[in-house]
Amino acid sequence: MKAKFKSARLEKGLKIREIASALNVDASLVSKFESGARKPTREQIIKLSNLLELDAHDLLVDWLSNQIVENIGYGNFALEVLSLAEDKVKYYTKSDLKKMEDDLILVLNEIDKIKNKLANHRDLDSYRIAQALELEYTFESNRIEGNTLTLKETDLVVNEGITISGKSMREHLEAINHKEAIEYLKELINKDSDFSERDLLQLHTLILKGIDAKNAGKYRDVQVMIKGSRHLPPQPYIIKKQMEDLFFWYEANKNHFHPVVLAAELSERLVTVHPFIDGNGRTSRLIMNLILLKNGYVIANIKGDVENRMRYYQSLENAQVDQRKEDFHLFVAQEELNALNRYCSILGI
């Protein structure tokens, strides 16, 4: 690992002090990383992988293997521990993730087939089509959370600046804020930015702008319950650690999952932690669509009608409480397939 850091830094023409500044540490510590005298934390590993354009997965595997050896040592005892751990990992891999269900494989194959077809007709895309679909996404994502603005009213609020009589200020702001969050999402995609904690907090800040300034872009510091759900979000004192784990998981796995499954899994993991007082659902769906759009797919617009909303919540709860993650993966995949088919229908292909 130490040789990788130094050779990558030299190849990019970066000085030790530049790396230290980006990591917000002393330059002497970076020198110790490169010499092997000190080991980076896992958060520093992730930052270094981004700075030096190294494969985070390989670095994290190396880092974790060293951590394991340091904890259990060598000899027969270590081999016994590793053997038992291997059996447990195999068990949980089988029971938690199972195999990709046949239905999910079929849907993913169909998704990629349609995506490839669409890629050959991207010249038919237009700003007006994108604008209409993004408006529908804002309408549906807010409707899931109880916003009562109709699609037309949402259009008038976000595109015409019209105030709708009988609707609350919060509902108006939710529509305006969601549109701004989509614009920020597109900026990230155009800059080819990866998903980071800063981006997550900025998206959440936009979602709650003017609604809850105190909690916008900040992790909650109180316990919450989700009305009507069996899932109990974690206590506030472990949120920071669980969010670190989430970004750690993403960096280690982002190149090892089908993009649609990655988008679903990241969204589910985020909303399961439920790191914010409010706006968790909207933010998790925005992150899901960030991953999809970055990989050439289209917005998976989960509908907010009662039937579909219940399917969404049920599949999510199955993942959160019963560890049936494949249910949620399949739900998101079907939503993406529906979105792709509709997009092709609009383009007439």
Side-chain angles (χ1 to χ4, degrees), residues 124 192 231 268 330 346:
L124 299 176
D192 197 27
H231 171 62
E268 181 267 311
L330 180 58
I346 292 169

Side-chain angles (χ1 to χ4, degrees), residues 105-115 337 340-341:
I105 293 172
L106 289 173
V107 173
L108 292 175
N109 287 340
E110 187 65 18
I111 283 171
D112 287 334
K113 182 172 135 186
I114 297 173
K115 178 201 167 194
L337 180 59
L340 281 165
N341 279 324

Side-chain angles (χ1 to χ4, degrees), residues 116-161:
N116 292 335
K117 179 175 78 169
L118 183 60
N120 296 323
H121 295 85
R122 282 294 189 180
D123 56 315
L124 299 176
D125 281 354
S126 75
Y127 171 74
R128 288 190 175 278
I129 292 174
Q131 190 180 42
L133 293 175
E134 288 165 14
L135 176 71
E136 288 183 2
Y137 173 40
T138 290
F139 162 65
E140 296 290 3
S141 193
N142 282 336
R143 184 158 69 135
I144 288 173
E145 307 301 332
N147 190 297
T148 64
L149 288 173
T150 65
L151 178 61
K152 184 58 183 175
E153 287 170 342
T154 302
D155 180 31
L156 292 173
V157 169
V158 301
N159 293 318
E160 305 294 336

Side-chain angles (χ1 to χ4, degrees), residues 37-74:
R38 285 282 297 274
K39 294 180 177 63
T41 65
R42 63 180 185 177
E43 289 72 31
Q44 289 167 339
I45 289 283
I46 291 171
K47 287 182 180 178
L48 284 165
S49 69
N50 289 327
L51 286 168
L52 302 175
E53 297 182 4
L54 294 169
D55 188 329
H57 179 270
D58 291 345
L59 291 177
L60 289 169
V61 168
D62 189 13
W63 181 84
L64 280 170
S65 65
N66 288 330
Q67 294 289 106
I68 292 169
V69 170
E70 286 179 7
N71 276 288
I72 66 173
Y74 301 89

